[in-house]
Amino acid sequence: MLGRIFTEQFAFSASDSVLVIGLGRFGSAVAQSLVRLGHDVMGVDNNSERVQTWADKLTHAVQADSTKESVMLQLGAADFSHAIVAIGTDIASSLLTLMVLTELGIKDIWVKALDHDHGQLAKKMGAHHVVMPEADMGERVAHLVTGRLIDFLEFDDGFAIAKIHAPTLTHNKTLTESRVREQFGVTVVGVKRANTDFQHATPETSVEPADLLIVSGPTRKIELFASATKVKK
């Protein structure tokens, strides 16, 4: 789901190349997902074993010190449309890498933050997006336990993307007729119907009772929408 979120929700076009720095669990999962979605991905890590593991699975995998601007210049990092700093436990390396990417002028930089303070520093230093996978997991489990949401990913600015069962107020109506965005302040990104392919949603998209919806918006508003049974007055 991680790669699809980057691609569908944050304007990664099919031709975009992505630089993923840090090939631990999070970075490698994102990198592999992006490759499956058709993106050229260069993975960078200072650990030779990780690089060898992913060399045949990514477009490029390179052992390098991402905290050195000269090294990243040699790798052509400035030519990438997007960069994801997924360094695991070394906050200093994460922030130094972010500084290098900022100096190189990369226009879309994502940073995996270990905690709130790390995320705040990253934002102040030029990160365009911050994600905290470990913290998000607690939120996700809580939402899954309630049964309202099937899958859930929240970013640190309170914005979330979720897969939900179609609320009853949307059944057998188009999205225009159910006034989802107007009444709840969320956007239905797509619809998944049994035995059919995922389809991007439009105002004319009709929703059936058994459909699954991909929804984006403020977390609390998604929660309210997921539990809605009738149109708000």
Side-chain angles (χ1 to χ4, degrees), residues 18-189:
V18 186
L19 177 65
V20 178
I21 301 173
L23 294 176
R25 285 185 299 174
F26 177 77
S28 60
V30 173
Q32 193 171 33
S33 293
L34 288 168
V35 168
R36 284 199 299 265
L37 292 167
H39 297 275
D40 288 331
V41 176
M42 176 185 282
V44 177
D45 200 292
N46 61 6
N47 183 299
S48 61
E49 292 183 2
R50 287 179 181 170
V51 170
Q52 291 174 5
T53 297
W54 291 100
D56 296 332
K57 301 178 179 69
L58 307 181
T59 312
H60 305 284
V62 181
Q63 182 183 1
D65 185 350
S66 61
T67 67
K68 298 187 181 300
E69 185 173 349
S70 59
V71 172
M72 299 306 287
L73 274 171
Q74 290 178 355
L75 293 179
D79 298 329
F80 283 79
S81 306
H82 311 273
I84 301 169
V85 181
I87 294 173
T89 58
D90 190 338
I91 293 178
S93 293
S94 172
L95 295 177
L96 286 170
T97 297
L98 170 60
M99 288 177 60
V100 169
L101 299 179
T102 302
E103 288 296 318
L104 294 178
I106 296 179
K107 298 185 182 301
D108 187 39
I109 304 173
W110 295 72
V111 174
K112 172 196 172 184
L114 302 180
D115 53 37
H116 178 74
D117 290 341
H118 182 189
Q120 290 299 104
L121 279 171
K123 282 186 174 180
K124 291 179 180 178
M125 293 172 62
H128 303 101
H129 310 279
V130 172
V131 293
M132 291 188 288
E134 287 80 5
D136 292 342
M137 184 57 69
E139 290 284 345
R140 180 179 298 182
V141 171
H143 286 294
L144 297 180
V145 168
T146 67
R148 293 179 179 176
L149 307 184
I150 302 169
D151 204 354
F152 171 86
L153 180 64
E154 183 177 35
F155 299 91
D156 75 325
D157 57 359
F159 181 91
I161 299 172
K163 181 193 295 184
I164 69 174
H165 295 286
T168 56
L169 68 89
T170 65
H171 294 177
N172 303 312
K173 298 178 183 177
T174 67
L175 294 175
T176 296
E177 290 171 337
S178 57
R179 299 185 295 156
V180 172
R181 188 182 304 216
E182 175 187 350
Q183 296 296 321
F184 293 92
V186 300
T187 300
V188 177
V189 178

Side-chain angles (χ1 to χ4, degrees), residues 188-207:
V188 177
V189 178
V191 177
K192 181 66 176 73
R193 189 163 295 157
N195 302 317
T196 65
D197 293 332
F198 171 90
Q199 60 174 312
H200 289 280
T202 69
E204 291 73 38
T205 297
S206 179
V207 177

Side-chain angles (χ1 to χ4, degrees), residues 206-220:
S206 179
V207 177
E208 297 181 1
D211 287 349
L212 301 178
L213 306 183
I214 308 300
V215 183
S216 66
T219 303
R220 182 55 182 157

